[in-house]
Amino acid sequence: MNPAEIDEARAQAQALIAACSEPNALKDLERRYLGKSGVLAGWLAGIPALPPAERPQLGQAVNRLKRELGELIVARSAALEKEAFERDAAAGTFDPTLPPPGVERGHLHPLTQLTREVEDLFVSMGYQVADGPEIETDWNNFEALNIPPDHPARDSQDTFYLDGPGPLVLRTHTSPVQIRALTRLAPPLRVIAPGKVFRHEATDASHEHTFHQLEGLVVDKHVSVAHLIHSMKTLLRGIFRKDVEVRLRPGFFPFVEPGFELDARCPFCTSGCSVCKQTRWIELLPCGLVHPNVLKAGGVDPDEWSGFAFGLGLSRLVMLRYGINDVRLLLGGDLRFLEQF
Ligand code: DAH
């Protein structure tokens, strides 16, 4: 290798690149000159064998050529692309409104889809959508909901307690948003609050440390169980797209009195199936009339106002709707699962 040889290669390569009219041929040229076993790599590998005095000058000359050819190839490639684009445009075969090939569109998570649907339903009934933080005070999560520190109801909500300026928890349910709504909004009020909740669970197919609930709270004058039942039936009609019979069983939750478990007629069968475990009823949501202590804790006078509340398990509802048999799939992030929705 000598300076004349390098100049000759430059001239030849420039001519070939300029004459190249095909992207694949350009790639071949790039490989031939700049590839791992290309002309220039061969020269550079030979430099240590040259007399020391010639090495710097020739090394620099080869590197300069490498840079020049690299730039020429990039420019030629862009020019070829532009030519192809203009050719297609002129022929009318290029549709700029088509999505680029190979780009996959994402979609909303099934939980988000259902949440939005249920939100729309309640908004159509005059509810507003409220939000609360996932890190809550012990007061909002428990005490204001009529669950004092030594209350056994705390045992059923295995809690992640946090170190903080005061007693803080990862909220174990969306019910603390009831307190936030009561203290911020003046009754009459209708609020729903969807969101993530956390429990220190041993996980299995029906238990997960993180899941989703949707809280509902209505406070007005003379609110009764009849109002509660009507709202729940409207909700079920919206979700299952047909009238669904419901029944109430007594249920204990410190923040409601009376408290109920609301069951719905199994929407999937007429004579028993695996979803309803052959009972024809599915346990759908706990609910009740707001306990006076909760109203008081939220600064609302229980002699003047009354209300109902409910806690819908959004994760459970998604599972019911799509026949998902393991709650851990919901937040597992496995695309093979998520792409089915
Ligand atoms: N927060 C309760 C839980 O997660 C569920 C619940 C029960 C919510 C009754 C309510 C209610 O609003 O009235 O276990």
Side-chain angles (χ1 to χ4, degrees):
M1 175 220 339
N2 55 49
E5 229 178 318
I6 294 176
D7 285 341
E8 200 182 313
R10 169 182 290 107
Q12 194 190 32
Q14 282 172 345
L16 287 171
I17 291 169
C20 189
S21 60
E22 228 280 305
N24 280 335
L26 192 62
K27 281 256 170 292
D28 287 342
L29 278 178
E30 184 174 18
R31 258 192 301 276
R32 175 162 143 204
Y33 284 97
L34 304 179
K36 262 205 214 118
S37 12
V39 178
L40 273 62
W43 285 344
L44 286 173
I47 284 188
L50 295 174
E54 291 177 22
R55 286 180 204 166
Q57 195 204 349
L58 284 172
Q60 280 167 18
V62 175
N63 277 321
R64 196 176 323 117
L65 179 59
K66 192 171 165 186
R67 208 169 42 245
E68 284 171 15
L69 294 185
E71 284 166 7
L72 277 178
I73 287 170
V74 168
R76 186 68 195 133
S77 165
L80 286 178
E81 221 171 273
K82 186 156 174 263
E83 277 170 28
F85 176 85
E86 279 162 3
R87 219 172 25 246
D88 284 351
T93 53
F94 177 71
D95 180 352
T97 63
L98 283 177
V103 175
E104 281 180 44
R105 287 191 65 177
H107 62 81
L108 295 176
H109 191 284
L111 265 166
T112 311
Q113 294 179 27
L114 182 77
T115 305
R116 292 194 177 178
E117 235 177 82
V118 176
E119 280 177 4
D120 283 350
L121 248 158
F122 278 107
V123 166
S124 78
M125 293 193 270
Y127 285 68
Q128 38 184 326
V129 182
D131 203 5
E134 289 165 5
I135 295 177
E136 254 303 0
T137 58
D138 187 276
W139 167 262
N140 283 340
N141 196 82
F142 290 126
E143 282 204 52
L145 290 166
N146 208 23
I147 313 175
D150 54 353
H151 197 286
R154 291 203 180 198
D155 295 346
S156 65
Q157 304 209 345
D158 298 317
T159 308
F160 290 110
Y161 288 90
L162 302 179
D163 288 334
L168 293 175
V169 299
L170 290 185
R171 66 176 178 188
T172 56
H173 49 179
T174 44
S175 301
V177 187
Q178 288 191 32
I179 304 301
R180 291 179 174 272
L182 287 172
T183 44
R184 275 186 183 67
L185 308 169
L189 56 88
R190 294 177 208 181
V191 171
I192 53 162
K196 225 186 255 172
V197 303
F198 309 86
R199 295 200 193 166
H200 184 237
E201 298 271 10
T203 60
D204 62 26
S206 44
H207 296 90
E208 176 62 299
H209 50 70
T210 304
F211 54 102
H212 288 71
Q213 292 186 335
L214 182 136
E215 194 75 14
L217 174 68
V218 169
V219 177
D220 210 322
K221 307 251 166 166
H222 314 298
V223 173
S224 74
V225 176
H227 297 116
L228 168 64
I229 294 176
H230 177 263
S231 296
M232 296 306 100
K233 288 186 94 160
T234 309
L235 165 70
L236 292 174
R237 195 183 315 123
I239 292 174
F240 294 108
R241 312 228 149 74
K242 61 179 174 190
D243 282 317
V244 181
E245 194 188 340
V246 299
R247 73 176 183 191
L248 294 181
R249 286 177 292 118
F252 175 72
F253 304 94
F255 35 94
V256 281
E257 178 58 37
F260 307 105
E261 293 282 358
L262 182 137
D263 297 338
R265 256 303 174 212
C266 180
F268 305 108
C269 70
T270 48
S271 57
C273 68
S274 61
V275 177
C276 63
K277 302 194 186 83
Q278 313 304 329
T279 63
R280 292 284 290 112
W281 292 102
I282 46 177
E283 201 178 307
L284 201 71
L285 87 170
C287 52
L289 297 187
V290 182
H291 196 290
N293 287 352
V294 174
L295 292 174
K296 270 189 236 159
V300 172
D301 180 358
D303 291 330
E304 193 180 347
W305 302 97
S306 51
F308 68 77
F310 55 90
L312 182 66
L314 280 177
S315 303
R316 192 171 134 67
L317 200 57
V318 171
M319 292 172 71
L320 269 177
R321 169 181 265 190
Y322 295 111
I324 298 166
N325 57 14
D326 191 328
V327 65
R328 292 168 297 188
L329 288 166
L330 287 179
L331 300 182
D334 188 334
L335 288 180
R336 290 169 306 178
F337 168 76
L338 291 173
E339 278 165 359
Q340 297 175 47
F341 301 95

